Amino acid sequence: MKFEAAVLGKVGGRLEVQTLEMAPLEPGDVLVRLHATGLCHTDLEVIQGSLAYPMPIVLGHEGAGVVEKVGKAVTAVKPGEHVVCSWNPHCGHCFYCERGLPILCEPHTRHQPRGRLLDGTIRMHRDGEPVHHFFETSTHARYTVLPESGAIPVPPELPFDRACIIGCGVMTGIGAVVRKARVEAGSSVAVIGAGAVGLNAIQGARLVDAGRIIALDVSAERRSRALAFGATDAIDAAAPDAAEQVRGLTAGRGADYVIESAGHKSAFRLSVEAVRPGGQVVWLGKINVDEEVPFRWGSLMGEKRIVRSSYGDAMPRRDFPWIAREYMAGRVKLDELITRRIGLGEINEGFDALARGEGIRTVVELQ
Ligand SMILES: [Zn+2]
Ligand SMILES: [Zn+2]
């Protein structure tokens, strides 16, 4: 079948909406007609070149739509179901899957960085040439094919624009707090970086009834958004005494939990300065993989636990429907996260705005 997709041909290039050819479904494939897709910072990293992927490629890994067709071996979803894409399809039986770490699934980590699906192959072509998949989802398109474990059913009452953002930014932020750090009620949580992921970490802290929720960001606009999403305090992350201010709000000890979601060297350093001895740090942000980050050795001492997480320990089949229900019950804000809606033809303008740091999430409406 033919379908339209936004194709990136080279680093630093513009996305071009082109007609591609999708290969027939393999037995484990799910074909989804996408209705909405978000623009995530990770997509921008590929455009800008700090994250290397083979080209040409169809970016996008936050998507929601309707299952159009399934391969003959698929049992977990059926045509007509509403789904949110998970960018962590996994085999379910490799070394890491068997240890409860689907994010490290061996076929996934082997093939995904090479722009391929879980089985190592490619479904998309342009004039006979392969076009690479991104995060096994490639949602900046009107259709996508993904492995069964990447198509997660959600309640049909959930609007597609709000559904799509659950697939990355919302899951990662809420998951970092609820699943990865397992923050207890009454604990203090500091969140560094109040962008799309950080705001969701703040929402996660509110969901588990954390006590003090301290947002740190260099932008006054983002600090005020953080307060609207449930932070109890906001601190300028650029202030030389930012860690001292966190200690001032936490009986002089530092926060029980620090979630880093800014993706800057200074934020990684601040995270370990601001956590209390024995506390837990979760790093969500990322910088170029070859960069080095210097730490003050003393800031790493004191029995601190530091962990990096890409997807907030997501178990999408468990967590996406849960977040959808929390939204429908009024306990998670999704409407307020979407600050711009565009068509597929405006996708470059959407990324330009993301590069300028404008808004929270831009959603492309596809149908
Ligand atoms: Zn993302
Ligand atoms: Zn696996």
Side-chain angles (χ1 to χ4, degrees):
M1 62 169 282
K2 292 194 187 309
F3 67 106
E4 264 189 338
V7 180
L8 180 68
K10 64 175 196 299
V11 168
R14 303 295 274 176
L15 297 158
E16 287 181 36
V17 177
Q18 297 178 337
T19 300
L20 305 183
E21 180 74 29
M22 190 78 84
L25 294 189
E26 294 294 327
D29 286 351
V30 176
L31 175 68
V32 176
R33 184 181 182 203
L34 291 158
H35 284 246
T37 178
L39 307 189
C40 176
H41 204 269
T42 304
D43 304 311
L44 183 63
E45 288 165 23
V46 179
I47 298 172
Q48 294 178 334
S50 64
L51 187 60
Y53 271 84
M55 311 269 167
I57 191 166
V58 177
L59 298 173
H61 56 285
E62 286 187 347
V66 179
V67 175
E68 181 106 343
K69 202 172 164 191
V70 298
K72 59 179 186 292
V74 170
T75 56
V77 283
K78 49 184 188 300
E81 278 193 289
H82 290 207
V83 292
V84 169
C85 300
S86 156
W87 56 256
N88 181 211
H90 51 281
C91 75
H93 47 74
C94 71
F95 178 91
Y96 288 110
C97 281
E98 285 179 343
R99 282 156 182 78
L101 286 164
I103 194 73
L104 299 177
C105 169
E106 288 172 327
H108 173 71
T109 55
R110 188 179 316 130
H111 300 303
Q112 186 279 119
R114 295 166 54 232
R116 289 157 187 272
L117 294 181
L118 201 60
D119 63 1
T121 61
I122 286 178
R123 302 286 181 282
M124 299 185 289
H125 294 84
R126 182 183 63 190
D127 302 327
E129 295 292 317
V131 176
H132 296 88
H133 300 260
F134 184 57
F135 272 37
E136 302 179 52
T137 44
S138 289
T139 57
H140 294 163
R142 299 201 185 275
Y143 285 87
T144 191
V145 161
L146 64 176
E148 178 176 17
S149 57
I152 313 300
V154 291
E157 309 84 66
L158 184 67
F160 292 111
D161 55 351
R162 278 141 278 184
C164 77
I165 60 175
I166 291 176
C168 183
V170 174
M171 178 70 245
T172 304
I174 292 179
V177 169
V178 179
R179 303 300 190 199
K180 191 77 186 178
R182 301 186 188 185
V183 169
E184 301 105 352
S187 312
S188 55
V189 181
V191 177
I192 304 173
V197 173
L199 291 173
N200 284 295
I202 290 166
Q203 302 214 73
R206 229 192 38 229
L207 269 181
V208 297
D209 203 18
R212 220 146 196 153
I213 305 173
I214 306 163
L216 296 103
D217 200 291
V218 296
S219 148
E221 188 189 354
R222 285 199 293 270
R223 289 198 296 275
S224 72
R225 272 194 206 128
L227 293 167
F229 271 76
T232 58
D233 304 271
I235 292 171
D236 181 355
D241 66 341
E244 193 54 47
Q245 290 187 54
V246 173
R247 283 192 285 277
L249 293 169
T250 51
R253 293 188 190 94
D256 297 322
Y257 297 90
V258 176
I259 312 295
E260 184 283 329
S261 50
H264 287 286
K265 287 183 186 185
S266 58
F268 295 123
R269 285 199 294 266
L270 178 57
S271 67
V272 288
E273 297 281 357
V275 76
R276 69 163 166 78
Q280 167 87 63
V281 174
V282 180
W283 287 334
L284 299 174
K286 52 190 177 316
I287 54 177
N288 190 304
V289 290
D290 294 319
E291 271 194 73
E292 295 187 3
V293 184
F295 291 97
R296 190 179 66 84
W297 179 247
S299 70
L300 302 174
M301 295 184 66
E303 308 297 316
K304 295 173 184 175
R305 288 164 293 137
I306 302 168
V307 66
R308 171 77 184 38
S309 180
S310 287
Y311 211 179
D313 269 6
M315 294 284 182
R317 264 178 223 291
R318 172 193 67 186
D319 293 334
F320 290 3
W322 163 64
I323 292 172
R325 287 193 303 274
E326 293 296 316
Y327 165 73
M328 291 188 288
R331 290 190 291 267
V332 162
K333 294 181 199 290
L334 297 180
D335 305 31
E336 296 84 346
L337 290 167
I338 302 171
T339 46
R340 186 172 174 158
R341 288 177 171 80
I342 58 175
L344 191 59
E346 302 163 283
I347 195 163
N348 287 299
E349 289 71 32
F351 275 115
D352 292 344
L354 179 61
R356 290 193 298 267
E358 290 172 17
I360 306 172
R361 253 313 182 253
T362 294
V363 168
V364 180
E365 296 180 305
L366 291 159
Q367 305 295 341

